[in-house]
Amino acid sequence: MPTVLIVDDDPAILEVLRTYLRAEGHTVLEARDGHAAWPLLAQADVAVLDWMLPGRPGVDLARDARTAGLSLPLLMLTGRGEEEDKLSGLDGGVDDYVVKPFSPREVTARVRALLRRAGVREVLTTGALDVNLRGREVRLDGAKLELSKLEFDLLVTMAQHAGLAWTRERLLERVWGSDFPGTERVVDVHITGLRRKLGDTPDTPRFIETVRGVGYRFREDDPDSA
């Protein structure tokens, strides 16, 4: 489930792009100005930036991202269609442009193309486990698993970062959202359900390991090669 960062100070644009990109199966991060967007760039697989952002224009944000060594694809939304402006942005590290007013379908199509070009996979395969990110389908040993939306999002979040130990707090924020009113206990409940469907046990995990004193980790090695 690739993560897309949208940066625009227009709430209507944020809403329509959020709707279309989530329908594509993407995780969506949002910011309304360049300063708020900066720390989120490292969490995204692709970013959609408005040229005229408050505080830190999109073109400056793109240039700073490249200077900092961030390689994620950058798509610029702009009302500036002049060739010199486009060249300036491309020289600063922008990968593609969409001129306003735009079709949200065109933006989602260009995001898909940038992700393919960047090598972001649409299917994750770990041993006998296949996770179709766009189709939101999971198969284990060829059999389809019936996962809830939260179980799927939880699985993808960890599988995309195999080997990384996640605290319950980080999983709660990433999967449920920072405004979720529940407690970290909900993570344990969903991990238990997910493990049951994967045929996992805490003592002999095939996919999801418990990291004592921390939280959980998706196994980095092939679980069927041991």
Side-chain angles (χ1 to χ4, degrees):
M1 185 168 44
T3 298
V4 182
L5 170 62
I6 313 169
V7 191
D8 201 296
D9 61 338
D10 187 332
I13 289 178
L14 285 175
E15 181 178 4
V16 70
L17 289 181
R18 178 197 314 127
T19 300
Y20 273 79
L21 289 166
R22 283 182 176 171
E24 288 273 307
H26 301 308
T27 296
V28 176
L29 304 176
E30 300 175 22
R32 295 194 178 188
D33 63 70
H35 293 305
W38 178 248
L40 298 177
L41 284 169
Q43 303 177 36
D45 295 303
V46 61
V48 181
L49 311 174
D50 186 30
W51 182 294
M52 298 298 292
L53 287 172
R56 196 174 192 175
V59 67
D60 291 348
L61 195 62
R63 188 174 292 110
D64 292 344
R66 297 307 186 222
T67 300
L70 297 176
S71 59
L72 76 164
L74 302 174
L75 173 64
M76 187 72 74
L77 301 179
T78 177
R80 310 161 70 106
E82 292 81 2
E83 182 177 355
E84 285 301 317
D85 289 329
K86 289 185 177 182
L87 290 174
S88 173
L90 291 170
D91 287 341
V94 175
D95 296 282
D96 198 3
Y97 273 91
V98 175
V99 178
K100 298 179 180 179
F102 58 82
S103 160
R105 289 184 177 179
E106 179 185 2
V107 173
T108 56
R110 289 178 182 260
V111 166
R112 280 199 308 272
L114 288 171
L115 288 169
R116 282 197 303 271
R117 200 182 308 164
V120 177
R121 295 175 291 172
E122 295 186 352
V123 176
L124 295 174
T125 299
T126 303
L129 185 68
D130 293 307
V131 183
N132 185 319
L133 303 179
R134 286 198 66 199
R136 296 184 67 84
E137 181 180 276
V138 179
R139 290 185 178 273
L140 177 61
D141 296 315
K144 183 178 178 180
L145 301 184
E146 296 298 333
L147 303 186
S148 69
K149 178 185 182 301
L150 285 170
E151 286 172 341
F152 181 87
D153 292 347
L154 189 58
L155 173 63
V156 170
T157 296
M158 291 192 295
Q160 285 186 318
H161 304 278
L164 176 66
W166 290 81
T167 64
R168 292 168 178 82
E169 181 182 9
R170 287 186 64 204
L171 284 171
L172 195 66
E173 182 175 350
R174 185 70 177 264
V175 177
W176 279 263
S178 58
D179 57 349
F180 179 71
T183 68
E184 295 177 7
R185 172 63 181 158
V186 73
V187 176
D188 296 326
V189 171
H190 281 76
I191 288 287
T192 298
L194 183 56
R195 277 175 162 165
R196 183 174 61 251
K197 294 178 181 180
L198 292 171
D200 254 357
T201 64
D203 294 330
T204 57
R206 196 176 174 191
F207 301 104
I208 299 174
E209 298 175 316
T210 298
V211 183
R212 296 191 182 280
V214 180
Y216 301 100
R217 173 174 56 214
F218 194 89
R219 286 186 58 168
E220 190 170 15
D221 57 316
D222 185 337
D224 297 316
S225 66

